[in-house]
Amino acid sequence: MESTALIHLGQWRRLQRETIAALALAERNANRPAIALCRLTLAWLHVEAMDFHGARDLCESVEQAVLEENPFAFFFQRAVLAKAFVGLNEPQRARQQFDDVMQRLNSDGIMMDYTIYAQLHHCLCEYSLQVGDIAQARTSATKLYEYVAPAPDRNHLAQAHGLLTRVALAAGDLEEARAELSRALSTLEDADMPLAAWRVYRAGVEVCESLGEPAEAARYRARFEDVIRTLAGNFEPDDRLRSSLLAALDAPGAR
């Protein structure tokens, strides 16, 4: 529960420190389910910090027996793996994670945890944009919006509007993209949600570049870079997560 809050609040040094300590305790006690959940929490941190190889390796280190016994761990692992493979530009392997989830849901007849549901639909939209399936991307982003709006969960709501911005942009509907971006920015007002913020600001760059507004694009790019550098500041200079975050500033999407 706490790790979910710390991820979205951007308190990644604290999350890393506490999870590593919990993992050491779980390993001393030979507590296999706890070991799995600690590794998956670290994998989630790695994938959000854009260390996709590290996230994949942590996910794949989880015992298969634990995944079979514990549906939460299973869905958690598949959600993070899907994000990792999208980040690694391996859409076929990402697709397999979504298929595995649907098969388990159908066979076990259970519901997913809120956090996992939100992650999966966000990632399914990212995947669909990556493979050019705009209809599926819109469906996934809309499902995420409808799921989080009633609460409202402002963190995921901002991200849902950010995804709908990118879907509209991919569909060539610039006015709708501008409207969704405005909704995303409004949701972020007076809130400290860095994980949502950098995604929205990156979408703002794309929209303004498409609209031929270079000054506005530069403003959003600066805000995007500020958030990424702040998140990178969580880590020591030699930490791979610091390096993966700063490398994102030179990625094509950031440019």
Side-chain angles (χ1 to χ4, degrees):
M1 294 289 288
E2 184 183 32
S3 68
T4 301
L6 296 178
I7 280 276
H8 292 293
L9 289 170
Q11 296 182 25
W12 290 358
R13 179 181 304 179
R14 177 179 170 187
L15 173 60
Q16 183 185 53
R17 183 175 61 247
E18 291 182 1
T19 307
I20 288 173
L23 176 59
L25 179 61
E27 288 174 339
R28 286 199 299 273
N29 291 332
N31 186 330
R32 291 166 51 247
I35 291 170
L37 291 176
C38 286
R39 288 180 180 174
L40 290 172
T41 298
L42 288 172
W44 188 12
L45 173 60
H46 279 250
V47 85
E48 299 296 13
M50 290 170 275
D51 175 21
F52 303 116
H53 288 97
R56 179 201 60 197
D57 293 346
L58 281 161
C59 283
E60 293 178 347
S61 73
V62 175
E63 288 185 41
Q64 187 62 34
V66 175
L67 299 176
E68 293 172 0
E69 296 164 1
N70 187 324
F72 177 79
F74 175 86
F75 293 131
F76 195 174
Q77 190 224 31
R78 292 306 197 268
V80 177
L81 270 178
K83 284 190 174 188
F85 288 131
V86 168
L88 291 168
N89 197 25
E90 297 183 31
Q92 289 185 328
R93 298 187 73 182
R95 177 75 255 178
Q96 185 61 54
Q97 311 313 311
F98 302 126
D99 292 344
D100 288 350
V101 166
M102 291 307 302
Q103 183 177 354
R104 183 79 181 254
L105 287 172
N106 292 333
S107 63
D108 291 5
I110 58 178
M111 296 180 66
M112 278 188 293
D113 177 83
Y114 177 93
T115 301
I116 307 304
Y117 185 101
Q119 283 195 74
L120 275 169
H121 280 284
H122 189 287
C123 187
L124 184 54
C125 181
E126 294 274 8
Y127 159 83
S128 301
L129 287 171
Q130 189 175 72
V131 300
D133 189 342
I134 297 174
Q136 178 59 63
R138 180 177 286 108
T139 296
S140 298
T142 301
K143 281 187 175 181
L144 178 61
Y145 170 79
E146 291 174 345
Y147 191 65
V148 303
D153 178 339
R154 292 177 63 197
N155 170 60
H156 286 107
L157 190 57
Q159 295 188 58
H161 284 304
L163 288 172
L164 288 166
T165 300
R166 295 174 59 210
V167 170
L169 196 58
D173 190 342
L174 296 183
E175 287 308 309
E176 179 61 20
R178 188 196 292 274
E180 285 293 348
L181 177 62
S182 178
R183 295 182 187 108
L185 292 167
S186 177
T187 306
L188 286 174
E189 283 182 6
D190 303 319
D192 184 15
M193 299 181 290
L195 189 56
W198 77 254
R199 287 172 169 153
V200 170
Y201 297 151
R202 185 183 63 178
V205 174
E206 296 172 8
V207 170
C208 292
E209 287 180 342
S210 297
L211 290 169
E213 300 174 354
E216 281 295 291
R219 186 168 69 88
Y220 284 122
R221 185 177 297 107
R223 295 169 77 177
F224 163 81
E225 292 177 354
D226 284 346
V227 176
I228 293 295
R229 289 194 175 95
T230 298
L231 290 170
N234 275 274
F235 305 107
E236 299 298 328
D238 60 347
D239 195 306
R240 65 186 290 168
L241 298 186
R242 178 183 177 87
S243 299
S244 63
L245 281 162
L246 294 178
L249 297 178
D250 296 322
R255 289 200 299 272

